[in-house]
Structures are given as structure tokens and as C-alpha cells.
Amino acid sequence: MKTTIYFACTQALTDAGLYSRIYQAASKQRREKTDRYRFMKDRMLSLGAEALLKHALMKNGFSPDELHYGYTENGKPYLPEAAGFHFNISHSEEYVMLAVSDTETGCDIEKIAHADMRVAKQILTANEYVHFLDTPESERDRMFFRYWTAKESVMKMTGKGFTMGPSSFAIEFSPLLKAVRADIPPHTLVQSEISGYAYAVCTAKENIQITTEIIHFEEITGGTGNEH
């Protein structure tokens, strides 16, 4: 299995009929989690994430009929009944992202907005912070989210999450995008943008082929999408 990134915009779920169909198809755990959210935006993101997961399971020969989630010590979800199927989910504002692979993977997507300088100083190493400040002001917001998504995808790939500490390792952009710390395993780290959102995916193997697929919830039961 190569690493595949699935994207979907949850704006379509404002349609009550489509929302109802996605909700009814969701697992019991997902419906219960969705019901706990106060805001409809968060409910749509939650349902959209699992809809993408079910789609990916079917495409890779697994049954999505009833999902049973397990969680690692640091809270990373996995599917005990889908051996060899590794996944990670991220969402921001109206977009949900899913990365699937045959090895550990992590992903992150964030809407590009104004960079918070205090947060930048907290998550970046000293050298990264200097690089960030040297970035032309017109590109500084984008650079902040390049760092942010890369670091979070690496932390999620390792399974350690924020217990790892984003400033405890560095991101190198050249000659190859990679995370630098002695205990970080060999990996493939890829980063790009979609519709004003920055995203990154990190897979625990080198030279992995990574493809993307845009999913429309109106068509998801038919398994169609636009591959790139």
C-alpha cells in the first residue's frame, strides 16, 4: 500500500439530507462522539473524517461495516481488526484530511491565517525561529504553517503527539524535507497546500510514493473521487 491522502470539504454536509445519510452510516462510537459537539461545524468535521476512513477501508479491501477503534498510550487511534492498515486524521475549519499507509503515518492540515509570534517562539527551535523572522513578512504566515503542519505530522507519526515537544526537533526544508532528531525513524515528509490550507504528511519509510484524492461526500458511497 502506498501512502494516500484523502481530502474533503465538509461544506456539503450543510445539506440536511446528506448529513443524515453520513450520520446514519457512521459507527456507534462516532455518532456518540459527534453528538457531544456543541457546534455543527465540529459535528460535520467529525462525521466527515469517518466517512473518509470508511471510503479508504473499502478501497484497500477492508470491511467498513462497523468500526471498532483502539487507542495507543498517547491517544493515537487505530483499527485492531484492520491489520496493516495505518491511518491518521486531521481537520481544520471546513477541510478534513485522512492519510492511510501500510506503516505508521501522521498528518496535519491547518487553514493559513495570521501567524501568532508567541506560538512560533514556543514551537520552533532557536535556529528555526531566526529563519522564521528572516522570512519576508509577506510569506511569514505561510512559513509558520509550513513548520506547524510538518512538526505535528511528525509527532503524530511517532505516536508520541505533543508529549514529544515541537521545539525538541528541527524541520529541514532543503535539500530534502525531513525532521531531524536522533530517535526519529527514517521517514518521508511531504508538504503542500490546498484551497488556502497548509498540510503535511509523514510516513515512517523513506522514498514512499504519496498520492492525493479529493472526495465529494455526495459521491462517497459510489467510491468516486479525483485522483492526482
Side-chain angles (χ1 to χ4, degrees):
M1 184 195 304
K2 62 191 176 186
T3 297
T4 303
I5 310 170
Y6 299 90
F7 296 100
C9 179
T10 59
Q11 182 63 28
L13 298 183
T14 56
D15 178 87
L18 180 58
Y19 179 92
S20 178
R21 292 195 297 275
I22 297 290
Y23 180 90
Q24 293 303 322
S27 66
K28 182 174 182 292
Q29 284 176 279
R30 180 62 56 165
R31 291 196 301 270
E32 291 174 348
K33 179 178 181 178
T34 297
D35 290 343
R36 289 194 293 269
Y37 286 117
R38 178 180 177 185
F39 298 108
M40 181 56 70
K41 180 186 80 171
D42 297 320
R43 294 182 179 185
M44 292 190 298
L45 289 170
S46 179
L47 289 178
E50 189 176 270
L52 287 187
L53 181 57
K54 283 175 171 281
H55 173 77
L57 282 164
M58 287 190 293
K59 289 202 71 173
N60 288 281
F62 295 94
S63 173
D65 290 341
E66 185 59 33
L67 301 182
H68 301 282
Y69 296 97
Y71 296 89
T72 65
E73 180 182 355
N74 292 311
K76 186 177 181 180
Y78 65 95
L79 299 173
E81 299 166 357
F85 181 91
H86 297 265
F87 75 95
N88 197 235
I89 293 169
S90 180
H91 47 68
S92 175
E93 296 298 331
E94 292 185 343
Y95 264 84
V96 61
M97 172 186 185
L98 166 73
V100 301
S101 185
D102 59 357
T103 188
E104 291 294 343
T105 189
C107 69
D108 188 49
I109 186 168
E110 301 289 342
K111 185 175 178 63
I112 298 172
H114 182 64
D116 188 318
M117 302 298 287
R118 292 172 299 177
V119 174
K121 196 165 188 176
Q122 291 171 355
I123 70 167
L124 300 177
T125 66
N127 287 339
E128 287 173 337
Y129 189 65
V130 170
H131 175 243
F132 171 68
L133 293 180
D134 285 344
T135 301
E137 190 171 350
S138 61
E139 291 297 315
R140 198 172 291 165
D141 293 340
R142 180 171 278 105
M143 179 57 68
F144 171 82
F145 285 100
R146 288 187 68 193
Y147 273 122
W148 179 274
T149 56
K151 284 176 178 277
E152 185 155 347
S153 66
V154 171
M155 293 187 294
K156 293 170 77 176
M157 179 273 290
T158 66
K160 297 177 181 178
F162 273 89
T163 64
M164 186 174 173
S167 64
S168 70
F169 65 97
I171 297 295
E172 291 187 355
F173 293 103
S174 179
L176 188 69
L177 185 65
K178 65 178 181 177
V180 180
R181 199 172 89 171
D183 60 343
I184 297 176
H187 56 276
T188 300
L189 180 58
V190 173
Q191 191 173 60
S192 191
E193 295 180 16
I194 181 172
S195 301
Y197 291 74
Y199 71 86
V201 60
C202 186
T203 302
K205 283 184 181 178
E206 293 181 305
N207 302 316
I208 290 290
Q209 179 185 4
I210 297 178
T211 60
T212 64
E213 184 173 343
I214 299 172
I215 300 299
H216 302 283
F217 291 115
E218 301 93 329
E219 304 170 345
I220 203 165
T221 54
T224 59
N226 299 315
E227 295 192 6
H228 300 273

